[in-house]
Amino acid sequence: VAGHFMWFDLGATDAGQAREFYRAMFGWAVAPAAEAGPYQAWITDGEQPWAGIVHADTAGGGWLPYVVVEDLDEAARKAVSLGATVIAGAADGPAGTSVTIADPGGARLALFKPHAGQG
């Protein structure tokens, strides 16, 4: 659904430490992400992943939420017209294409257009 969060990436300099923290803190299930590109682990609801742990550089980690949009180009143009900055241009993934922006206050967000039949 357009305008809704649909995925989260957790950038972590130490994926094992992040995995253990979130397991202990919230009881989240974390599974290995073998052969899944940049993903080192999946955070799941026990069955389906809803977030992935990716390697972050030494600048530190952070969460990157993905929000569904109907038209990626139009959403990126609108974001810029409202004061956002495009941080990373269109990147294709297995479920769709994303553009990462920083809102006028600097918070990062990925605009996400699912492939047909996804999301």
Side-chain angles (χ1 to χ4, degrees):
V1 177
H4 287 203
F5 291 105
M6 59 83 50
W7 183 258
F8 301 87
D9 280 348
L10 170 57
T13 54
D14 182 333
Q17 182 183 53
R19 180 179 60 243
E20 293 310 313
F21 173 82
Y22 287 104
R23 274 186 183 155
M25 183 74 193
F26 300 116
W28 290 353
V30 182
E35 305 295 321
Y39 291 99
Q40 299 177 359
W42 303 122
I43 300 171
T44 75
D45 62 8
E47 294 179 19
Q48 292 289 94
W50 58 267
I53 300 175
V54 297
H55 179 72
D57 62 24
T58 56
W63 287 94
L64 178 66
Y66 286 67
V67 175
V68 174
V69 298
E70 295 200 13
D71 182 319
L72 193 56
D73 293 334
E74 177 57 31
R77 279 193 294 274
K78 183 175 183 179
V80 169
S81 76
L82 294 170
T85 303
V86 173
I87 296 173
D92 290 321
T97 305
S98 64
V99 170
T100 303
I101 64 168
D103 73 14
R108 295 181 334 136
L109 177 77
L111 306 172
F112 183 77
K113 172 68 175 163
H115 292 314
Q118 300 281 328

